[in-house]
Amino acid sequence: MTDFGQQIEEIEKEIRETPYHKGTEHHIGKLRAKLAKLKDRLLETGGKKGGGGGGGYAVKKEGDATVVLIGPPSSGKSTLINKITNAESKVAPYAFTTVSVIPGMLRYKDAYIQILDVPGLLEGAKEGKGRGKEVLSVARASDLLLIMVDVQRKNSLAKLTAELEGAGIRVNGTIPDVLIDKKAAGGLIIHSNVKQDISKETIKEVAMEFGAKNAEITIKEKISLERLIDAFSQSRVYLPALFIVNKIDESPNSDFDKDILGISAETGKGISELKDEIWNKLGLIRVYLVRPDEEPSYKNPVIAKKGEMIKDVAIKIGTEFAEGKKLAKIWGPFARFPGQEVSLSTPVQEGIQIRFL
């Protein structure tokens, strides 16, 4: 059986010992692509040698979105989920209280948002420490991460983010703007309107390491080697996240960066702002259905997401309902006039009222 961990160590050692310059760039690129593939395999097998699966928690996704609460032991995650949802997560003043996933449901602005409290995430989680593999598998399937520490460990947010990044989770990241069109023959053809710092030879080495020997590769951004490898990897997920520091009542004079939300789950300070940030980060909006025999109103809300179209709302109602629907009437501030007739490809916006025709 192949020991992925040993292979990873050997490749990391070779990368460290190889001086980086133009002459070695393509070789280092190949090594880093091989390293990324091995780490992906390690994630898939749960850190075991060779084959075999790493078990994850079986969590049924419910509601309009799923949020996972990530943090070290004793950071107050259980207190927070009990405060904002209907969950009953055990709370105690010692570490490792939560040993399985505790689901709770937050009702906010007509949406049902599932929030999952998972065991505390430790350094080394991506290698399996402290049930880290199971926690990370749940995180990967979420719509939003709440990355939380307490005020005494506020500098640990970077370490938690590094653990997630090491597990292929790109926190607040964007998908690389790279199109990979595999072909049956013809070799590798590279297109880019942007001047790249990495050579075409390096790009080809990375592509071939990932099995793309014949392909047309179009790169639409100035890309780093890491982003190029991400474009080829099948295991990367790109998740929005909120950074939270809990227990601010214990250190009221602490300062945080503008992208960090300070709260006290115990006293409720900052909880209202947190709910609002969750809503905004998920990109949720409310649209209102207007039945054929009714006047426009705000009685029948449906939760949609920014970027969706009216046809997506129809599908949420039911696939049979959506069949045959081609037009709708809309009301609200985004309609040119009350009852404007539009196609189902019209984007939805907060507060729009829709009657399907």
Side-chain angles (χ1 to χ4, degrees):
M1 289 187 292
T2 304
D3 188 340
F4 296 134
Q6 184 179 343
Q7 290 184 67
I8 286 171
E9 287 179 9
E10 290 172 356
I11 292 173
E12 287 178 335
K13 182 175 183 290
E14 186 175 352
I15 290 172
R16 286 194 303 271
E17 294 177 351
T18 303
Y20 183 87
H21 50 73
K22 279 293 180 184
T24 62
E25 180 192 79
H26 67 282
H27 177 64
I28 290 175
K30 182 177 181 178
L31 288 174
R32 290 178 69 172
K34 187 176 292 186
L35 182 63
K37 280 176 60 182
L38 283 169
K39 287 184 175 181
D40 288 348
R41 294 285 301 277
L42 192 63
L43 286 172
E44 291 167 8
T45 59
K48 299 177 181 178
K49 293 183 180 182
Y57 292 114
V59 180
K60 182 181 179 182
K61 295 182 73 171
E62 296 181 342
D64 297 297
T66 296
V67 176
V68 172
L69 185 52
I70 294 281
S74 299
S75 55
K77 296 187 287 81
S78 296
T79 302
L80 177 60
I81 196 172
N82 288 341
K83 177 74 73 174
I84 64 176
T85 77
N86 59 357
E88 293 182 0
S89 186
K90 187 178 178 183
V91 178
Y94 49 84
F96 301 105
T97 305
T98 304
V99 293
S100 61
V101 177
I102 307 294
M105 192 67 74
L106 166 64
R107 178 80 190 274
Y108 189 67
K109 292 185 178 179
D110 299 309
Y112 288 91
I113 302 170
Q114 183 184 46
I115 300 185
L116 304 177
D117 178 18
V118 297
L121 194 68
L122 301 170
E123 194 169 350
K126 60 184 180 294
E127 284 83 35
K129 187 175 181 181
R131 309 193 73 170
K133 295 289 183 183
E134 293 92 334
V135 172
L136 291 168
S137 72
V138 176
R140 290 174 65 87
S142 69
D143 300 302
L144 172 67
L145 300 177
L146 302 184
I147 304 174
M148 187 174 86
V149 296
D150 59 74
V151 73
Q152 304 302 330
R153 293 178 284 184
K154 61 182 181 180
N155 295 328
S156 296
L157 285 170
K159 290 182 180 179
L160 288 172
T161 303
E163 284 297 323
L164 295 165
E165 292 278 342
I169 299 171
R170 298 295 176 253
V171 177
N172 288 328
T174 56
I175 299 172
D177 198 356
V178 177
L179 178 64
I180 302 164
D181 185 13
K182 291 187 177 181
K183 308 285 187 181
L188 289 168
I189 302 170
I190 314 295
H191 300 290
S192 182
N193 292 327
V194 182
K195 181 174 172 54
Q196 301 295 337
D197 289 334
I198 55 178
S199 66
K200 285 190 175 182
E201 185 181 6
T202 301
I203 295 169
K204 289 180 178 181
E205 287 284 3
V206 170
M208 287 189 289
E209 187 60 42
F210 278 94
K213 296 180 180 179
N214 299 288
E216 198 165 345
I217 302 168
T218 305
I219 304 173
K220 300 180 180 180
E221 65 174 68
K222 191 176 183 68
I223 202 160
S224 65
L225 183 55
E226 291 81 2
R227 294 269 293 167
L228 178 66
I229 290 170
D230 280 355
F232 281 94
S233 175
Q234 298 297 310
S235 71
R236 301 295 185 259
V237 294
Y238 300 81
L239 294 177
L242 291 173
F243 296 100
I244 305 167
V245 173
N246 188 27
K247 305 181 184 180
I248 57 171
D249 50 306
E250 296 180 4
S251 184
N253 296 322
S254 293
D255 293 325
F256 311 117
D257 293 339
K258 62 181 181 179
D259 60 343
I260 297 174
L261 182 62
I263 68 165
S264 171
E266 189 68 42
T267 67
K269 185 174 183 180
I271 297 300
S272 177
E273 292 84 354
L274 174 60
K275 291 178 181 178
D276 229 20
E277 286 296 322
I278 291 172
W279 172 271
N280 292 332
K281 202 73 171 179
L282 285 169
L284 300 179
I285 58 175
R286 289 168 295 186
V287 303
Y288 299 88
L289 303 180
V290 181
R291 295 190 176 98
D293 57 345
E294 289 182 346
E295 290 297 312
S297 70
Y298 297 97
K299 291 180 182 177
N300 305 303
V302 172
I303 302 300
K305 287 193 173 184
K306 291 177 182 176
E308 290 185 338
M309 297 178 285
I310 291 177
K311 67 179 179 181
D312 297 310
V313 176
I315 293 169
K316 287 178 192 290
I317 298 170
T319 52
E320 290 186 6
F321 174 85
E323 288 178 7
K325 296 289 189 294
K326 296 185 184 301
L327 297 172
K329 287 187 176 182
I330 61 171
W331 290 261
F334 310 106
R336 293 180 185 172
F337 53 87
Q340 178 189 356
E341 200 168 283
V342 296
S343 73
L344 298 194
S345 60
T346 302
V348 294
Q349 301 187 57
E350 171 69 31
I352 192 172
Q353 297 158 304
I354 304 170
R355 177 187 290 159
F356 290 96
L357 302 177

